């Protein structure tokens, strides 16, 4: 295996794999280094919602980015199937956000003004589209009819496998322990047993990015936020669309499987599943969809979301360091934002200017 590359990417979650795929398409020689296995952390814990309208209330920049990224999925899914043979299970099933209070209804009305592909559903409309939802506990809802979902684990693996088919190298079970620096220029990375050289290094280490970057003397504000999920299977279809509320969401997957998520526990890297977490999620989900009580419990799991001290991810070069960039902090929307992030980072490596909204604010970021 060669030890010199155009680009080394640290972390093979959905973000690192998407960047590796886009760079490989542009014929760059890429090495992706992962401390465990591909997609073994947040990226396979995710529910896979492409929920442009679920969590971006009030941030027009992020909403626009999310719309762009979501609309890349149809073409990406076709490409990945062709190159890797993996079906990422893209479904354009839409999402309903029931308004559980008048205040929530008011907030949702604001989203209606910001985005074009959402509409308002009265209580009767919601009941007509999803007759098994319980009635009388909402005031109608927002219908994001173009939102959808994918299998997050399959997306990550398909990106990784496609990158390899296009020439990328992946090294699993290999933690990066430090960077090779020549003054302020990053010229590669060190693992326990090897040293690898490259023109550029990109850190895509999810919730671990701040710890990794500390090795290059750089502080970014990273906050881990654990999330628990549970899946059930039913004998018949319970809902066709994703149902999203503040307390829980229900995502229909192929074959009458339903994924119920997710809790939020900040400041922890612990990924154990608590009985209380699952009790809370299932209780809220059964309130929304009573037939869920008869579904068969399948499995539960947890993952750690990468949050930052702002609502935007960090996607850009590190100020004061040459040839070292980062793509992290996608928090609750890394699956949705992965296609766009891959392209932005490939543009950055190709010296194409990227949208400054994602970049760093020097005065806050430099140590
Ligand atoms: P990760 O997937 O965590 O990948 C980072 C990788 O870096 C890991 O594999 C890790 O092992 C590796 N790494 C760390 N340190 C090192 C090192 N020193 N050397 C080498 N490798 C290293 N997003 C959506 O868009 N839609 C959803 O429906 C959704 N649902 C979610 C539900 C839950 C329960 C959770 C937890 C998250 C959800 N998300 C969702 C968010 C999404 O999962 C994340 O934003 C996304 O996976 C982040 O991807 P990442 O590649 O940055 O991080
Ligand atoms: N976006 C869903 C979650 O992070 O739980």
């Amino acid at each position: 295996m060669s030890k010199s590359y155009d680009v080394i990417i640290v972390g093979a979650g959905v973000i690192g794999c998407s960047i590796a795929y886009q760079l490989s398409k542009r014929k760059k020689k890429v090495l992706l280094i992962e401390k465990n296995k591909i997609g073994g952390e947040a990226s396979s814990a995710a529910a896979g919602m492409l929920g442009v309208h679920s969590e971006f209330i009030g941030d027009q920049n992020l909403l626009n980015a999310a719309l762009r990224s979501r609309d890349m999925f149809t073409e990406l899914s076709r490409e990945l199937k062709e190159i890797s043979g993996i079906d990422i299970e893209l479904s354009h099933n839409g999402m309903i956000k029931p308004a559980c209070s008048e205040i929530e209804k008011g907030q949702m009305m604001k989203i209606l003004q910001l985005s074009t592909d959402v509409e308002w559903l009265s209580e009767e409309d919601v009941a007509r589209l999803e007759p098994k939802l319980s009635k009388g506990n909402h005031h109608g809802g927002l219908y994001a009819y173009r939102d959808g979902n994918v299998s997050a684990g399959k997306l990550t693996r398909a990106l990784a496998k496609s990158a390899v088919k296009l020439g990328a190298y992946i090294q699993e079970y290999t933690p990066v322990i430090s960077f090779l620096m020549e003054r302020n220029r990053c010229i590669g990375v060190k693992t326990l047993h090897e040293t690898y050289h490259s023109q550029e290094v990109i850190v895509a280490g999810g919730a671990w990015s701040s710890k990794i970057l500390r090795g290059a003397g750089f502080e970014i504000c990273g906050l881990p936020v654990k999330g628990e999920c549970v899946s059930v299977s039913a004998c018949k279809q319970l809902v066709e669309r994703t149902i999203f509320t503040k307390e829980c969401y229900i995502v229909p997957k192929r074959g009458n499987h339903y994924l119920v998520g997710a809790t939020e526990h900040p400041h922890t890297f612990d990924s154990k599943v608590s009985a209380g977490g699952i009790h809370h999620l299932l209780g809220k989900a059964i309130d929304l969809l009573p037939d869920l009580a008869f579904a068969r419990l399948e499995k539960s799991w947890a993952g750690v979301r990468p949050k930052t001290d702002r609502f935007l991810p960090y996607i850009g070069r590190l100020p004061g360091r040459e040839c070292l960039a980062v793509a992290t902090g996608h928090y609750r929307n890394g699956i949705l934002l992965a296609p766009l992030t891959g392209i932005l980072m490939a543009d950055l490596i190709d010296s194409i200017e990227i949208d400054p909204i994602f970049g760093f604010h020097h005065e806050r970021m430099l140590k």
Side-chain angles (χ1 to χ4, degrees), residues 282-298:
L282 286 178
K284 295 293 175 189
I286 291 168
D287 282 350
L288 277 172
L289 183 62
D291 282 4
L292 207 69
F294 307 103
R296 188 169 61 85
L297 203 54
E298 288 185 314

Side-chain angles (χ1 to χ4, degrees), residues 47 49 54-55 244 249 261-264 305 331-333:
M49 290 177 287
S54 51
E55 292 160 32
F244 190 100
Y249 48 76
T263 57
E264 287 255 313
R305 306 174 182 93
Y331 187 33
R332 293 179 62 109
N333 291 288

Side-chain angles (χ1 to χ4, degrees), residues 53-301:
H53 303 92
S54 51
E55 292 160 32
F56 299 132
I57 299 174
D59 190 322
Q60 191 69 49
N61 284 328
L62 203 46
L63 186 74
N64 290 343
L67 277 167
R68 264 176 77 194
S69 200
R70 183 201 62 191
D71 292 344
M72 290 172 181
F73 269 91
T74 305
E75 179 61 15
L76 181 66
S77 141
R78 195 196 52 72
E79 272 178 30
L80 295 178
K81 179 80 204 308
E82 201 175 293
I83 303 173
S84 70
I86 298 174
D87 176 3
I88 64 168
E89 298 180 10
L90 173 63
S91 154
H92 296 286
N93 61 324
M95 174 184 285
I96 296 179
K97 287 179 78 176
C100 299
S101 66
E102 285 295 340
I103 295 175
E104 246 184 52
K105 186 172 173 179
Q107 288 170 340
M108 288 179 190
M109 288 298 170
K110 284 189 197 144
I111 306 181
L112 274 177
Q113 288 154 16
L114 290 176
S115 189
T116 46
D117 45 2
V118 280
E119 63 185 47
W120 183 255
L121 298 177
S122 67
E123 221 179 313
E124 296 71 38
D125 293 335
V126 173
R128 187 175 43 78
L129 289 180
E130 297 296 353
K132 293 193 170 62
L133 282 186
S134 49
K135 295 167 187 73
N137 61 357
H138 61 81
H139 306 255
L142 196 73
Y143 183 24
Y145 49 87
R146 287 201 195 183
D147 284 1
N149 79 85
V150 294
S151 159
K154 285 189 180 169
L155 170 66
T156 308
R157 286 192 295 282
L159 286 164
K161 192 169 171 190
S162 299
V164 169
K165 290 251 172 183
L166 297 176
Y169 298 84
I170 301 185
Q171 187 81 39
E172 289 178 284
Y173 304 103
T174 308
V176 166
I177 53 170
S178 64
F179 297 91
L180 295 172
M181 300 297 292
E182 262 181 11
R183 287 194 212 94
N184 280 334
R185 186 184 179 87
C186 185
I187 56 164
V189 300
K190 277 188 185 171
T191 65
L192 266 183
H193 303 294
E194 301 283 358
T195 295
Y196 298 98
H197 286 85
S198 60
Q199 303 295 320
E200 301 269 0
V201 174
I202 299 173
V203 173
W208 294 266
S209 296
S210 43
K211 187 174 163 209
I212 299 169
L213 284 169
R214 221 163 281 142
F218 204 92
E219 287 291 337
I220 66 165
C221 179
L223 169 66
V225 182
K226 169 180 160 180
E228 295 154 305
C229 277
V230 54
S231 76
V232 300
S233 74
C235 305
K236 55 184 180 190
Q237 189 174 59
L238 302 180
V239 278
E240 199 179 320
R241 295 156 190 84
T242 295
I243 309 300
F244 190 100
T245 69
K246 271 190 186 145
E247 299 284 356
C248 75
Y249 48 76
I250 305 168
V251 188
K253 297 287 181 180
R254 283 191 189 166
N256 293 332
H257 296 276
Y258 297 89
L259 195 155
V260 180
T263 57
E264 287 255 313
H265 302 281
H267 305 290
T268 180
F269 282 95
D270 151 45
S271 58
K272 84 170 186 324
V273 179
S274 68
I278 299 310
H279 172 77
H280 171 82
L281 290 173
L282 286 178
K284 295 293 175 189
I286 291 168
D287 282 350
L288 277 172
L289 183 62
D291 282 4
L292 207 69
F294 307 103
R296 188 169 61 85
L297 203 54
E298 288 185 314
K299 56 179 179 171
S300 59
W301 63 93

Side-chain angles (χ1 to χ4, degrees), residues 10-16 33-36 41-43 45-49 174-176 204-206 208 212 227 229 249 262 303-306 330-336:
V10 184
V14 73
I15 298 300
I33 309 184
E34 164 56 46
K35 78 172 153 72
N36 291 320
E41 299 290 350
S43 299
M49 290 177 287
T174 308
V176 166
W208 294 266
I212 299 169
C229 277
Y249 48 76
V304 183
R305 306 174 182 93
H330 295 73
Y331 187 33
R332 293 179 62 109
N333 291 288
I335 304 302
L336 167 63

